[in-house]
Amino acid sequence: MPAAPAPAPPREVPGDWSGLRAAVAGCEACKLCRTRTHTVFGVGDEHAPLMIVGEGPGADEDARGEPFVGRAGQLLDEMLKSIGRSRQQHDAASAVFIANVVKCRPPGNRDPEADEVEACRPYLDRQIELVRPKLIVALGRVAAQRLLDTDAPLSRLRGPLYHYGAAHTPLLITYHPAYLLRSPREKAKSWDDLKKIHQFLAQPVQASP
C-alpha cells in the first residue's frame, strides 16, 4: 500500500503586527480564500483591555475589510458606547480590539466550518497574545462554541467566566448584535452582560504572586 502522506508542517505565524497582517492578507490555508473579496483582520487598539470576538465577516465586512460595519456593527458600537468603550479610542479607559474567529467571509454567511476555524485559529491566538486583553468577549453562539470547543447552546454558555488559551485569558459570552436585531426582547439580558463586562474591566489587575 502507498504510504500515507506526511502531515503538513505547522504554519509559522508572525509574532509582530505588521507580519501578522501580511500573513492574514495573503492566507490560502482554507477554502474561504477562494470566495473572499477582502480578508478582515480586525480593528481597534492593539493593546486594548477588552477584545471582542465574533464568528466571521458578513457581506459588508467582506466588502470593506473591517469587522462589524453593517447594522449589527452599528448596534455593537452603541453597546460598547454604553459602557464607555469605542473602536476609535486608544486609551485603557475606553479602548477595544474587535476581531473574528475566521478572517474571510463564509459563502452565504453560513457558519464557519471546523476546519476553517482551525486554519484561522493561529491568527486569532496570535492577536490575543499581542493584545494581551484583560477580558475577551465572544459574541454569539458560533464564536462561543468555536472558542470553547463545545456544542452547548448559547443559553448554557452565557453567564460563567471562562478562560481561553495558554494565558488563561478571562472570557465571557454574550449575544451577537445581529441576534439582538432579530430578537430585541433579549436586549435586557444583553444589558446585564454589558454591566458585568464593565464591572470586570473596572477591577484592578491582580498582581502575580
Side-chain angles (χ1 to χ4, degrees):
M1 295 179 62
R11 281 178 294 138
E12 289 190 14
V13 178
D16 63 285
W17 282 109
S18 60
L20 186 60
R21 288 179 185 277
V24 169
C27 183
E28 297 182 350
C30 80
K31 57 187 175 295
L32 293 182
C33 70
R34 299 195 291 266
T35 55
R36 72 186 179 215
T37 304
H38 295 102
T39 56
V40 180
F41 181 80
V43 67
D45 189 276
E46 294 175 352
H47 302 287
L50 174 61
M51 186 167 179
I52 301 291
V53 178
E55 61 184 79
D60 293 328
E61 291 77 15
D62 178 62
R64 288 181 49 179
E66 182 177 334
F68 289 94
V69 296
R71 290 182 62 223
Q74 293 170 7
L75 179 55
L76 175 60
D77 287 343
E78 292 175 10
M79 293 164 65
L80 291 171
K81 183 178 179 181
S82 73
I83 57 170
R85 301 275 161 179
S86 168
R87 69 175 82 192
Q88 283 84 32
Q89 297 301 315
H90 297 280
D91 62 89
S94 56
V96 60
F97 189 87
I98 304 172
N100 286 306
V101 295
V102 295
K103 311 304 184 189
C104 299
R105 180 195 180 196
N109 289 353
R110 63 164 171 77
D111 292 349
E113 297 172 356
D115 63 317
E116 297 161 354
V117 173
E118 289 312 304
C120 245
R121 192 179 295 272
Y123 299 135
L124 177 63
D125 286 348
R126 184 70 82 207
Q127 287 177 313
I128 294 170
E129 180 183 321
L130 290 170
V131 176
R132 298 181 63 191
K134 183 177 180 180
L135 178 67
I136 299 169
V137 174
L139 299 180
R141 172 186 60 84
V142 174
Q145 290 177 340
R146 298 297 185 263
L147 288 175
L148 296 174
D149 192 22
T150 180
D151 59 1
L154 185 67
S155 58
R156 281 177 47 199
L157 295 175
R158 269 188 69 246
L161 181 69
Y162 304 92
H163 292 84
Y164 179 79
H168 303 284
T169 306
L171 168 67
L172 287 171
I173 311 296
T174 191
Y175 296 105
H176 195 288
Y179 172 77
L180 296 175
L181 290 171
R182 299 191 302 269
S183 305
R185 287 178 295 182
E186 303 289 8
K187 286 185 177 181
K189 295 179 184 177
S190 175
W191 174 236
D192 289 339
D193 294 341
L194 288 168
K195 288 187 290 186
K196 182 186 295 186
I197 291 164
H198 180 67
Q199 290 164 2
F200 185 93
L201 291 169
Q203 295 172 3
V205 176
Q206 296 295 322
S208 301

